Amino acid sequence: MNRIDNRQNDELRNVKITRNYLMHPDGSVLIEVGNTKVICTAMVEERVPPFLKGTGKGWVSAEYSMLPGSTITRKSRDINKLKIDGRSQEIQRLIGRSLRSVVDLGVIGERTIWIDCDVIQADGGTRTASITGAFVAMADAFKGLIDKKMIEKMPIKAFVSAVSVGLSGGEKILDLCYEEDSAADVDMNIVMTNKGEFVEVQGSGEEATFSQGEFMDLVSLATSGCQKLYNIQREALGEEISGEIGK
Ligand code: UDP
């Protein structure tokens, strides 16, 4: 099958992670996955939600948004509505769960790491790019806390990254762009650790049902994609920080 951008079915788009993208946050990256661009920031707040007060444990919370000019038709700002739309809510909860799954919340003490993922250009896979990029921003924020001697060690137990896979005209494809995503019969988002373990699997056959065999093949395709993303994250963070993760 000829893909829109001539990629092989098992090929990721070009991924670029620019660290320290912004001046104020404790960690910040611009992640570019093909034409999808997301700014991910991590900022530390010295308090926790009420349910964690007195427990000695911290929290990681995420918010997600798309800029009005990030999409083909203008995306209205949340401020114009009474509350954020369901899709953004679902995505930000997914980002939060994904990052928390690899953090030892007991190590970070009673503080919250706020993750903000702001899509500045959307071309499919914004939630997966957000997770992959936010992971790097979060690792930088934790390194800052270690350097300031506010925490004793790197609380991250494993790398986490995410990718989309889909079934389109009988072909299994990795990392769908918008045009592919909107034409796909089956669309899945998979979040994995570098140890090959699953954090979350979201899959839907919107236009068709899919078999167990197809499901397994899509999972294998995503596994290879996440492994490549892990290597890109590792390279972006450098050995000084990467070497501390999962120790
Ligand atoms: N999209 C859009 N406007 C929206 C929601 C989505 O233009 O309000 C486009 C955008 O390119 C996005 C793609 O549709 O990346 C796929 O959206 P989906 O909800 O599947 O999430 P994503 O793949 O971005 O995680």
Side-chain angles (χ1 to χ4, degrees):
M1 176 176 135
N2 270 344
R3 294 184 71 176
I4 290 147
D5 45 14
N6 292 319
R7 274 183 292 152
Q8 298 295 312
N9 286 358
D10 62 352
E11 198 178 334
L12 288 175
R13 289 176 282 180
N14 282 332
V15 181
K16 190 173 165 204
I17 297 176
T18 308
R19 267 169 77 206
N20 305 316
Y21 188 67
L22 300 175
M23 147 187 193
H24 298 299
D26 303 292
S28 64
V29 313
L30 169 68
I31 181 162
E32 297 168 76
V33 180
N35 290 320
T36 287
K37 299 182 189 194
V38 188
I39 297 175
C40 310
T41 63
M43 299 178 91
V44 180
E45 188 188 22
E46 289 299 316
R47 65 192 180 123
V48 282
F51 74 95
L52 284 172
K53 274 198 186 135
T55 64
K57 286 189 178 172
W59 196 240
V60 178
S61 195
E63 295 193 353
Y64 165 99
S65 181
M66 290 173 125
L67 275 190
S70 68
T71 49
I72 297 170
T73 46
R74 182 177 182 272
K75 180 101 168 76
S76 168
R77 286 182 200 274
D78 294 335
I79 205 169
N80 296 331
K81 302 179 217 119
L82 286 173
K83 61 186 181 86
I84 67 160
D85 64 84
R87 175 181 173 275
S88 295
Q89 204 151 144
E90 173 197 334
I91 292 177
Q92 68 189 31
R93 295 185 69 199
L94 167 71
I95 299 167
R97 285 195 301 274
S98 299
L99 297 177
R100 280 196 299 277
S101 74
V102 292
V103 172
D104 185 340
L105 298 170
V107 173
I108 67 178
E110 288 193 23
R111 47 177 68 89
T112 300
I113 314 302
W114 281 100
I115 303 294
D116 285 281
C117 297
D118 286 279
V119 178
I120 58 172
Q121 186 164 282
D123 186 30
T126 61
R127 77 192 67 197
T128 50
S130 294
I131 292 165
T132 304
F135 174 84
V136 174
M138 181 176 78
D140 265 325
F142 284 138
K143 177 68 166 75
L145 289 177
I146 295 170
D147 290 348
K148 286 189 229 151
K149 306 211 180 315
M150 290 165 77
I151 58 176
E152 279 176 17
K153 60 174 191 136
M154 177 54 79
I156 304 179
K157 300 177 281 189
F159 284 70
V160 70
S161 62
V163 77
S164 72
V165 284
L167 204 54
S168 189
E171 303 273 338
K172 287 142 199 149
I173 52 177
L174 180 67
D175 187 22
L176 285 67
C177 67
Y178 173 67
E179 217 174 314
E180 290 176 325
D181 180 289
S182 47
D185 298 321
V186 175
D187 180 18
M188 285 176 73
N189 292 292
I190 296 193
V191 187
M192 290 187 81
T193 72
N194 63 310
K195 296 170 184 165
E197 289 177 328
F198 297 99
V199 175
E200 191 136 340
V201 177
Q202 297 186 327
S204 49
E206 282 167 28
E207 303 295 328
T209 51
F210 53 111
S211 69
Q212 190 174 0
E214 285 168 333
F215 175 75
M216 299 301 233
D217 288 347
L218 288 174
V219 166
S220 313
L221 195 56
T223 304
S224 72
C226 283
Q227 196 61 34
K228 288 176 197 146
L229 289 167
Y230 151 59
N231 285 323
I232 294 166
Q233 290 172 313
R234 196 174 178 96
E235 199 167 311
L237 281 169
E239 202 39 45
E240 193 196 352
I241 296 179
S242 295
E244 293 299 314
I245 292 170
K247 249 192 180 173

